Amino acid sequence: MTLDLLSPFTEFAFMRRALVGVIAIALGGGPVGVFLMLRRMSLTGDAMAHAILPGAALGYLVAGLSLPAMTVGGLVAGVIVALLAGLVARVTALKEDASLAAFYLLSLALGVTIVSLRGSNVDLLHVLFGTVLALDDAALVLLAGIATLTLVTLALAYRPLVLDCVDPVFLRSVSGAGTPAHLIFLGLVVLNLVGGFQALGTLLAVGLMMLPAAAARFWSAEITAMIVIATGIGIVSGIAGLLLSFHAELPAGPAIILTAGGVYLVSLVVGREGGLLWLARPRKHLEA
């Protein structure tokens, strides 16, 4: 029974490629998602996922479905939107969340328009929802490189990132590493979203980053443990989502995100750190 369930990975090369791709996305996106959540920037990740769309669309307009062109375009667009949103928030009365929301809406509309100018509805669906079952060697190398760079960078900047989550005022008082660490972290966010875009599209790229992180919070309050749990949930969700899409004949990208969402909902109910059942259980007198 188990062998039959897992047979798609042994019988089809495209399923093995998709498996490697989603594992790489989970390895890089899981830790980044945890830090986004702890820094209360979860919606920032969603906004940035849409911000890369115009650049990726311009790359598509120039070179078609070219991985290098769409990757470079997405990176440039993401960095520009991040810088513009921060600049607007600093020189005007508009807060950063509102500024990001404005740029995200403009980016989404502009990207869809650019793709529509040259492409078909199939191309638009490819850009919006990705093609995780059509990953080639170049895409896998890109995803593996992003995951490796992310893990190495987070290992080197782990201490200032954690301090910035826990006590940013203290970090600024004892070190000047806060701002560089923040900028590096934003770069990692954009980089992982560009990688996720290749497989899951601009609308779903942030899903495998934030849903496992949110689920992990219900199982641990310790940052390192949350990172490990979020990464594990992302990998399991990717594997289960691919199998669900194959056996139930569902779109692969949405199936992966739905699986991660299912894990989040289960964690919300039964998680030991603030899950609904644990909050509702009877407590002894004076129990914390």
Side-chain angles (χ1 to χ4, degrees), residues 92-158:
T92 71
L94 201 63
K95 299 296 183 182
E96 190 167 9
D97 59 337
S99 177
L100 269 173
F103 280 110
Y104 129 66
L105 291 169
L106 286 170
S107 298
L108 181 60
L110 179 60
V112 171
T113 302
I114 291 172
V115 175
S116 300
L117 287 176
R118 176 174 170 178
S120 64
N121 288 336
V122 174
D123 296 323
L124 182 59
L125 288 175
H126 169 85
V127 171
L128 293 179
F129 298 104
T131 52
V132 67
L133 297 181
L135 295 175
D136 55 17
D137 289 343
L140 293 180
V141 170
L142 173 68
L143 294 175
I146 289 174
T148 302
L149 178 62
T150 298
L151 293 175
V152 171
T153 304
L154 288 178
L156 295 174
Y158 186 77

Side-chain angles (χ1 to χ4, degrees), residues 199-262:
L200 300 172
T202 186
L203 294 183
L204 299 177
V206 74
L208 209 54
M209 182 182 292
M210 293 313 309
L211 285 171
R217 180 60 186 85
F218 289 108
W219 296 104
S220 177
E222 202 271 321
I223 295 178
T224 303
M226 272 193 281
I227 290 174
V228 173
I229 294 170
T231 302
I233 291 174
I235 292 173
V236 171
S237 298
I239 296 171
L242 287 173
L243 292 174
L244 176 64
S245 76
F246 182 88
H247 291 292
E249 299 183 359
L250 298 173
I256 292 171
I257 303 306
L258 283 173
T259 304

Side-chain angles (χ1 to χ4, degrees), residues 39 41 83 90 153-154 156-162 164 168 171-189:
R39 295 158 75 96
M41 295 173 61
L83 292 175
R90 280 169 172 77
T153 304
L154 288 178
L156 295 174
Y158 186 77
R159 186 181 297 272
L161 283 174
V162 170
D164 199 31
L171 178 62
R172 287 195 295 268
S173 67
V174 300
S175 172
T179 298
H182 179 68
L183 294 176
I184 291 172
F185 175 70
L186 287 180
L188 291 179
V189 172

